[in-house]
Amino acid sequence: MKLPTCLRIVLILASMLLWWNLSWAQTHRAEREHTAQNLATLLNVGRLVVERNQTLINDPRKGDKGFTPEAFEHQVIEEFLRQTTIDLNRLPSDLPALAKTQLPLLLQSSKEVVADAQFVINQRGIGYKNFIPATFGSQAARKFSNRSHITIKQTALNPRNLKNTPDGYEEQVLNRLAAQPVSHAPVTEWIDDGKTLRTVTPIYYSQDCLVCHGDPKGTLDISGYLREGAREGDLAGAISIQIPANNP
């Protein structure tokens, strides 16, 4: 039986609309996943820059260290470009719109954390100042999250900072990551019937971390915390990001 022309047109239009909606939804999700990955990378780059400047920051002989927000920003932009090929000074036109607003916001939040720490960083006569990658990362993540509909958080199974205590989802993913070989790939999932993107990017202990987190287990480190007895390559924690699907 041949369908009337008008009915065939309606069915064709309905099929086209369904295809367009599915295509838009896939693109929408992919852009959010890409943005989450870049945000995690940017926060990790900030942590890396602080780590590279740790000897300078903790030098008790120097007053003005020259580790200004501008110096920090310059190093972050260079390293982020090296890792991602994205120039934060000239964001590419094909970058998702969400990333174009959120990457500069995280960079600005990170600079402000360094600005807030200038008095501590530039104190003469004091060595260890507790301005370390983990401290920087926690503060930058909170400052950013207070200004955005996106939530960034450093978390760990046994965090020293209780504000970094994992929620149920993060705890489940962290346990899974701790039980498997090292992988720097983020765990990415859409939960709540596709309403929320969750990404968890693992962080592993480097050799430098073991000064505070290694052996002898149970003894106090320089910051007054008990050492965990960790080994290089053990899971240290993760950068957790949540992005709602229905925000612009």
Side-chain angles (χ1 to χ4, degrees):
M1 178 178 173
K2 191 173 182 180
L3 292 174
T5 301
C6 60
L7 182 54
R8 277 187 287 151
I9 292 174
V10 168
L11 290 174
I12 291 170
L13 290 175
S15 298
M16 291 175 63
L17 182 60
L18 177 60
W19 175 86
W20 184 88
N21 283 335
L22 289 173
S23 178
W24 179 87
Q26 290 173 349
T27 302
H28 185 75
R29 285 191 169 195
E31 288 181 346
R32 273 154 172 68
E33 291 170 9
H34 186 58
T35 298
Q37 183 177 348
N38 281 326
L39 286 171
T41 299
L42 181 55
L43 183 63
N44 224 4
V45 165
R47 288 168 49 96
L48 177 61
V49 168
V50 172
E51 180 183 331
R52 286 175 176 172
N53 287 273
Q54 203 69 72
T55 300
L56 173 65
I57 292 169
N58 291 339
D59 189 344
R61 299 166 299 174
K62 284 188 177 181
D64 186 355
K65 307 294 194 305
F67 188 63
T68 63
E70 292 72 28
F72 166 83
E73 178 183 37
H74 177 73
Q75 293 178 46
V76 165
I77 289 173
E78 280 194 341
E79 181 62 26
F80 189 74
L81 177 62
R82 189 190 71 79
Q83 292 192 21
T84 67
T85 72
I86 296 173
D87 187 349
L88 292 171
N89 282 323
R90 303 176 190 83
L91 293 176
S93 58
D94 60 347
L95 198 67
L98 183 62
K100 287 180 180 178
T101 61
Q102 300 306 301
L103 287 173
L105 180 59
L106 179 55
L107 180 60
Q108 179 60 31
S109 300
S110 300
K111 282 180 62 181
E112 290 176 11
V113 170
V114 176
D116 293 343
Q118 287 298 293
F119 176 77
V120 172
I121 290 171
N122 294 320
Q123 281 186 308
R124 190 193 301 270
I126 298 175
Y128 179 75
K129 299 179 177 69
N130 197 33
F131 190 72
I132 58 177
T135 303
F136 158 80
S138 292
Q139 293 178 3
R142 282 196 294 273
K143 193 177 282 285
F144 168 87
S145 300
N146 287 336
R147 299 169 172 173
S148 175
H149 65 279
I150 296 174
T151 301
I152 303 181
K153 172 187 171 186
Q154 287 186 165
T155 189
L157 286 171
N158 297 294
R160 292 183 170 190
N161 183 347
L162 294 181
K163 292 180 180 178
N164 295 337
T165 300
D167 61 24
Y169 176 83
E170 291 162 344
E171 183 176 8
Q172 178 186 15
V173 174
L174 286 167
N175 278 316
R176 191 194 322 164
L177 289 168
Q180 63 189 35
V182 171
S183 171
H184 294 282
V187 175
T188 301
E189 295 182 278
W190 286 88
I191 65 169
D192 301 330
D193 295 323
K195 295 176 183 176
T196 306
L197 171 65
R198 299 291 305 255
T199 70
V200 178
T201 303
I203 300 171
Y204 297 93
Y205 286 118
S206 66
Q207 188 64 41
D208 290 341
C209 301
L210 303 185
V211 174
C212 292
H213 295 279
D215 288 321
K217 183 177 181 179
T219 59
L220 293 179
D221 68 5
I222 194 171
S223 64
Y225 287 98
L226 295 176
R227 291 183 173 88
E228 293 89 350
R231 299 282 188 272
E232 185 176 5
D234 286 351
L235 183 70
I239 296 171
S240 175
I241 297 180
Q242 296 185 57
I243 305 181
N246 58 355
N247 280 84

